[in-house]
Amino acid sequence: MIFTVAIDGPAAAGKGTIGRAVAERFGFRHLDTGLLYRAVGVIGGDPVAAARGLVPADLRREGLRSLAAGQAASRVALIPEVRSALVAFQRRFARAEGGAVLDGRDIGTVICPEAEAKLYITASPEVRARRRWLELGGAAAAVLAEVLAEVNERDARDMGRADAPLRPAADAVVIDTSAMAIDEAVRRACALVAARLGQA
Ligand code: CDP
C-alpha cells in the first residue's frame, strides 16, 4: 500500500510528536524532514554541496536540535538548489510501499501534493516557544524570550521565502493546538488518517 501523511506547520507546533504517534499507530515509517535542513546547516561550507552529499548518518549528528541549528536550517532552506537536492529522497520516502508520515513545511504543497492525508499543525507563537523552551530544558526566563524571538524569526523567513513557502495546502486539515493537549491533537490526527484509510 502507498499512503502518505503530510504534516506541515510552523516551528515547534508539535509536528514531530504527532508524526511519530501517527506512524506508530498505523505502522508507517516517519521522516522528520527538518533534520535534512538542520544537517545541511550544521555541516557548514557550501550548503548546496552539503545537500547534494547528505548521507543518512548526517541526520544523527550532534546538536541538530539546538536553536542555532534551527536558524542555520532556515537560512539554507531559502536556497532553491538546496531544496531541489533534497526533493528526490523525500519523494521516494513518501511513496515507497508501506505508508509514510513526513513532517516539515512543504510536504503537502511541494514534496507530496498527492498525499492521502494532509495536516497543518499550528499554535500561537507564545505557546510554541514555551514548548520548545521546555524541550530545551526550561532554563531562566530570559532564555524563553530568546526562544520566542528565534521561533518568530524563523517563521517569518519560512513563510516569506519565494521557494516553497510555509502555508497550508488547500486540502489540509488545520489543527490549532494553542489550547489543546498533545494527546487530543494526536487523536484528531489519527482520526483523519483512519478516515482516509477507510477505517472510520
Ligand atoms: O522542529 P521545528 O519545527 O522547530 O523545525 P524543523 O522542522 O526541524 O525545521 C527547521 C527549519 O528547516 C525550518 O525552520 C525550515 O526553514 C526548514 N525546513 C524546510 O524549509 N522545509 C521542510 N520540509 C522542513 C524544514
Side-chain angles (χ1 to χ4, degrees), residues 32-66:
D32 170 357
T33 65
L35 286 179
L36 303 170
Y37 295 90
R38 285 173 182 265
V40 170
V42 164
I43 288 168
D46 173 10
V48 177
R52 289 183 180 150
L54 212 61
V55 293
D58 289 324
L59 306 186
R60 296 188 291 273
R61 279 175 180 252
E62 292 270 309
L64 291 188
R65 302 277 175 197
S66 70

Side-chain angles (χ1 to χ4, degrees), residues 138-149:
V143 181
L144 177 56
E146 190 190 319
V147 178
L148 178 59

Side-chain angles (χ1 to χ4, degrees), residues 23-114:
E24 192 172 326
R25 158 88 159 72
F26 295 96
F28 294 170
R29 290 161 301 114
H30 174 234
L31 178 64
D32 170 357
T33 65
L35 286 179
L36 303 170
Y37 295 90
R38 285 173 182 265
V40 170
V42 164
I43 288 168
D46 173 10
V48 177
R52 289 183 180 150
L54 212 61
V55 293
D58 289 324
L59 306 186
R60 296 188 291 273
R61 279 175 180 252
E62 292 270 309
L64 291 188
R65 302 277 175 197
S66 70
L67 295 185
Q71 277 295 328
S74 81
R75 292 206 169 87
V76 299
L78 297 171
I79 306 168
E81 292 79 9
V82 166
R83 305 200 69 84
S84 61
L86 302 175
V87 166
F89 172 74
Q90 294 176 83
R91 286 214 174 118
R92 263 200 314 276
F93 189 96
R95 301 313 269 171
E97 186 60 35
V101 181
L102 289 85
D103 69 78
R105 301 291 185 289
D106 61 343
I107 309 304
T109 51
V110 173
I111 298 297
C112 196
E114 70 274 42

